[in-house]
Amino acid sequence: MKRVAVFTSGGDAPGMNACIRAVVRGAVYHGIEVFGIRRGYSGMINGDIFQMTSHSVSNIVQRGGTILKSARSKEFMTPEGRAKAYEQLKKFDIEGLVAIGGNGTFTGATLFFDEYGIPTVGAPGTIDNDLYGTDHTIGFDTAVNTALEAIDKIRDTADSHDRIFFIEVMGRDSGYIAIQSGIAGGAEMVMVPEVLTPISEVVETLKSGWSRQKSSSIVVIAEGEEAGNATEIAEKIRLQVQSTIDMRVTTLGHIQRGGIPTAYDRILASRLGLGALEGLMNGEQNVMAGIINNELVYTPFRDTIRLPKPISEDLLRMVKILSV
């Protein structure tokens, strides 16, 4: 393989730049020409492709976001869009791709290979940590620490004013950010999409705390929680409790996507970027590079897309025990 290209797609995640850097410098080390594609599949269709060198990725390992930009492309999900993308790659004689992203990115890569035979190896870049085939995804650790910093600060004001705070974190289909930031932040309750949590159970937990003279509480809620968003859940609890206790809602939102990546995310992203490139060099195709039990593994895209990644029962049990 003489020419490869790297791109980022879908939601941005802290550590993506470190991953790009590892792909580019790994390619330079191995004597392979490497190209960057701006704005994911959209840039692939439009030919926004440029050659990268070692200098192209200087001073980016510490930066959040992605220097290659990111986008979601509805056009690429059509046969006509993929045909345009293939023609652009042919112009540059690109033989393989490193895709940094999540489920949508890998779904597109699978369709592309089925139609045009362009091999892709993926690096899991998503703060949600919802991809089967890796213990952690790029950006997850930073997002948890960002959420935790906010929870710690909110805890101060909750305690000062004897309030209950309902804090909504990202995780449309996955409660990993909620469960880990909730445990680390000492939350009294964590609500995640993977487990049905009746409102009555939250009420009982809060009442139990009040009976022990607990004057403030934190409830962490993943955005994909079945019972509703944080505002809806807070209102349901207010109606059931009928108490004068002050309740407030904070939605952390996209602040969790940005910021300087942690050391863990930089190292993970570097391992996965180099692992994806070298996997491509060694004939891997339509697989995601991941780290399981500190070992580099490759999981077929179809499995990363299809198979769920359950939350540890131990973590769920821990929340219950530590809220006593």
Side-chain angles (χ1 to χ4, degrees):
M1 192 164 286
K2 296 176 182 177
R3 287 190 167 195
V4 300
V6 57
F7 66 96
T8 53
S9 176
D12 62 305
M16 280 185 164
N17 282 327
C19 191
I20 295 166
R21 175 178 178 269
V23 173
V24 171
R25 293 205 165 164
V28 171
Y29 176 84
H30 287 293
I32 297 172
E33 289 186 87
V34 59
F35 291 76
I37 303 173
R38 294 188 184 93
R39 295 180 177 83
Y41 290 121
S42 178
M44 195 182 297
I45 290 169
N46 295 322
D48 196 354
I49 301 169
F50 65 103
Q51 187 161 10
M52 301 183 78
T53 65
S54 184
H55 182 69
S56 304
V57 292
S58 294
N59 199 31
I60 69 167
V61 71
Q62 79 283 8
R63 289 170 57 183
T66 161
I67 63 165
L68 292 178
K69 308 293 185 180
S70 190
R72 290 181 171 88
S73 174
K74 289 184 179 179
E75 188 178 1
F76 189 81
M77 298 314 290
T78 68
E80 296 78 12
R82 293 190 292 275
K84 290 179 186 177
Y86 177 66
E87 289 304 315
Q88 295 293 352
L89 293 183
K90 273 186 19 180
K91 288 180 185 178
F92 291 88
D93 294 323
I94 289 168
E95 303 167 81
L97 300 168
V98 173
I100 307 168
N103 272 337
T105 305
F106 301 156
T107 299
T110 301
L111 289 171
F112 201 43
F113 178 80
D114 289 344
E115 292 172 355
Y116 297 103
I118 301 289
T120 303
V121 177
T126 167
I127 67 169
D128 289 343
N129 197 36
D130 59 350
L131 290 174
Y132 177 88
T134 187
D135 289 336
H136 296 116
T137 57
I138 297 165
F140 169 65
D141 187 68
T142 306
V144 168
N145 279 281
T146 298
L148 178 60
E149 183 180 2
I151 291 168
D152 286 345
K153 290 177 178 179
I154 290 168
R155 171 76 72 180
D156 290 343
T157 195
D159 183 60
S160 298
H161 293 276
D162 294 341
R163 286 174 176 159
I164 300 174
F165 266 88
F166 298 87
I167 303 173
E168 184 177 303
V169 300
M170 280 189 162
R172 187 174 62 250
D173 301 307
S174 170
Y176 269 95
I177 294 175
I179 198 80
Q180 295 217 5
S181 62
I183 290 172
E188 278 66 36
M189 199 81 190
V190 177
M191 303 177 74
V192 297
E194 293 89 342
V195 179
L196 179 62
T197 306
I199 295 296
S200 58
E201 186 178 322
V202 184
V203 170
E204 286 307 311
T205 298
L206 294 174
K207 283 183 175 178
S208 175
W210 299 336
S211 70
R212 301 191 306 275
Q213 283 73 55
K214 188 175 276 192
S215 60
S216 65
S217 298
I218 298 287
V219 179
V220 177
I221 302 164
E223 64 178 319
E225 165 58 33
E226 213 170 289
N229 62 34
T231 301
E232 293 167 341
I233 289 170
E235 186 55 32
K236 290 176 184 178
I237 290 172
R238 191 192 310 276
L239 292 172
Q240 288 201 27
V241 171
Q242 294 181 340
S243 169
T244 57
I245 191 163
D246 197 2
M247 298 184 186
R248 299 295 174 93
V249 175
T250 299
T251 301
L252 299 186
H254 284 76
I255 189 174
Q256 296 157 90
R257 286 199 186 280
I260 297 170
T262 61
Y264 182 88
D265 267 332
R266 298 183 203 191
I267 294 165
L268 175 69
S270 298
R271 288 186 73 184
L272 292 174
L274 186 58
L277 172 75
E278 293 183 337
L280 199 58
M281 291 168 54
N282 293 327
E284 296 285 354
Q285 53 191 30
N286 294 332
V287 296
M288 180 191 79
I291 303 292
I292 297 179
N293 296 327
N294 207 31
E295 295 290 332
L296 181 68
V297 297
Y298 297 99
T299 301
F301 281 157
R302 286 185 170 86
D303 287 343
T304 68
I305 295 163
R306 178 177 57 90
L307 297 177
K309 183 177 180 179
I311 280 187
S312 163
E313 291 292 332
D314 283 344
L315 292 179
L316 294 167
R317 180 172 169 268
M318 195 183 299
V319 174
K320 199 166 192 175
I321 291 173
L322 297 183
S323 68
V324 173

